[in-house]
Amino acid sequence: MSSPLRSIHVVAGVITDARGRILLNRRTENRDMAGLWEFPGGKREPGETSEEALVRELREELGIEAEVGEWIMDVPQIYPDKRLRLEVRRIQGWKGSPRGREGQAITWVAPDKLHRYSMPPADLPVVAALRQPDRYLITPEPEGEEDSVHQAWLGRLAQALESGVRRVQLRTPSSPARVALAERVIQQHGPRTQWLLNRDIDLAGRLGVGVHLGSEQLLSLDARPLPAGQLVAASCHDLAQLQAAQRLGCDFAVLGPVQATASHPDATPLGWEAFEALREQVSLPLYALGGLAPGDIGEARRHGAQGIAAIRSLWPATA
């Protein structure tokens, strides 16, 4: 019988300069995952608070005296030799000039360039949380083909966008009227919003937007269905589906249901403990789905999600 994995709590800091660039450390040759880039920080020792550990680590690594700011997220991650929890905090100020005091390279990176740097698995969801929306709207399907129904649906969508939603899955079945509706939405609201079409790979390719794959599509594909410039996401309910989404190169996945939901009353909720147990086995950015609202974003991030995906709680009741 194998012995249980040792558990390690690591605290990392997001350090941003006046130009908005973020500081990364490169792991040295004498460490595991040598050569990969990461957010600076280190292991929390017994008796230390997270703030104390991060201040000490940044002093030792970078030679700065840091002022620890807001919590961003926790990322649980299983490695071959350990179970790690990466706690991520913003650094709201520091004294001194950062330098690699332990022989490591450091670099300042614009947020939109972070994805170009090879990182350990636990750091990848952090990049997503820093750069991508914390809520993902899944639209309900219009309740008919009449123009008045479509107009009301468009009004609610516009209201959702005005509230700050910036990533949307359009559920518009492939009738000619619904295809026209999707085209109208994308043309009208333009590039300020990230659009993904539910399951329709061909139409997404034609419109130059993303696609959200159903869980039944994941195992039937052997390659990413759209180029890197178009988002690919997936609905997942178990580890096999998450691993398939990661192998395909999906940009993110939705995992649930976490709680009971009216849209899937027969589905057994995962709960947060099971969500985290699945989260720690992949490095894919995840949204938590199922009975969740914007007020649950903090709880989702405590378990490694970048935010929540929802229909009802993000869709206005009236236009």
Side-chain angles (χ1 to χ4, degrees):
M1 183 175 178
S2 61
S3 58
L5 294 174
R6 60 193 176 105
S7 295
I8 297 177
H9 189 133
V10 170
V11 191
V14 175
I15 304 173
T16 306
D17 70 4
R19 294 168 54 185
R21 299 177 303 173
I22 294 171
L23 183 66
L24 296 182
N25 254 350
R26 194 170 196 179
R27 297 179 70 87
T28 54
E29 294 301 320
N30 59 345
R31 303 174 65 190
D32 60 342
M33 294 182 284
L36 298 185
W37 295 89
E38 63 184 359
F39 298 98
K43 181 180 174 183
R44 193 176 79 177
E45 300 294 347
E48 284 185 316
T49 66
S50 295
E51 291 84 353
E52 290 168 344
L54 188 51
V55 167
R56 174 183 54 76
E57 287 286 348
L58 296 182
R59 182 187 302 127
E60 294 170 358
E61 286 187 5
L62 301 174
I64 61 174
E65 292 298 322
E67 182 180 358
V68 178
E70 66 176 355
W71 170 85
I72 297 174
M73 72 184 303
D74 283 12
V75 182
Q77 190 75 49
I78 290 179
Y79 289 101
D81 61 337
K82 59 181 176 283
R83 172 173 272 115
L84 180 141
R85 176 168 291 273
L86 177 64
E87 178 183 348
V88 186
R89 305 287 293 268
R90 288 196 185 275
I91 301 303
Q92 62 186 33
W94 70 89
K95 295 178 181 178
S97 298
R99 62 191 188 281
R101 294 191 66 210
E102 298 177 340
Q104 80 277 23
I106 67 171
T107 189
W108 293 96
V109 182
D112 62 352
K113 303 291 194 303
L114 286 171
H115 67 283
R116 298 182 181 180
Y117 289 76
S118 297
M119 292 184 170
D123 290 71
L124 298 177
V126 182
V127 174
L130 292 174
R131 297 189 59 235
Q132 300 174 16
D134 61 7
R135 59 206 74 191
Y136 179 35
L137 167 64
I138 304 167
T139 67
E141 295 181 10
E143 296 177 353
E145 297 289 353
E146 301 85 357
D147 185 64
S148 60
V149 171
H150 286 185
Q151 288 296 337
W153 186 91
L154 287 167
R156 292 185 182 186
L157 176 60
Q159 190 173 329
L161 298 179
E162 288 169 5
S163 75
V165 169
R166 288 294 174 266
R167 179 173 276 177
V168 179
Q169 179 192 150
L170 292 172
R171 295 201 305 171
T172 55
S174 297
S175 68
R178 299 294 178 84
V179 171
L181 182 62
E183 292 175 330
R184 179 177 174 183
V185 165
I186 293 164
Q187 182 177 24
Q188 180 177 341
H189 294 286
R192 68 174 183 155
T193 302
Q194 297 175 349
W195 303 102
L196 297 93
L197 300 185
N198 179 263
R199 291 181 170 84
D200 197 330
I201 297 169
D202 291 339
L203 183 59
R206 180 162 64 83
L207 297 180
V209 297
V211 68
H212 186 103
L213 302 172
S215 56
E216 77 284 353
Q217 290 177 287
L218 283 171
L219 299 179
S220 68
L221 294 169
D222 55 12
R224 180 185 170 95
L226 293 175
Q230 293 173 256
L231 291 172
V232 177
S235 292
C236 297
H237 309 287
D238 57 32
L239 181 58
Q241 292 169 1
L242 285 172
Q243 291 172 332
Q246 187 160 284
R247 283 195 303 271
L248 278 179
C250 289
D251 297 287
F252 65 91
V254 168
L255 176 61
V258 176
Q259 299 177 358
T261 175
S263 59
H264 295 87
D266 298 328
T268 301
L270 287 172
W272 285 116
E273 185 176 345
F275 178 94
E276 182 170 316
L278 292 169
R279 147 84 286 166
E280 67 181 359
Q281 297 181 72
V282 294
S283 59
L284 196 64
L286 297 180
Y287 288 97
L289 172 74
L292 304 175
D296 296 303
I297 290 172
E299 185 69 16
R301 288 195 166 190
R302 273 186 279 278
H303 298 280
Q306 72 182 67
I308 60 115
I311 302 174
R312 286 170 176 79
S313 70
L314 295 178
W315 187 251
T318 58

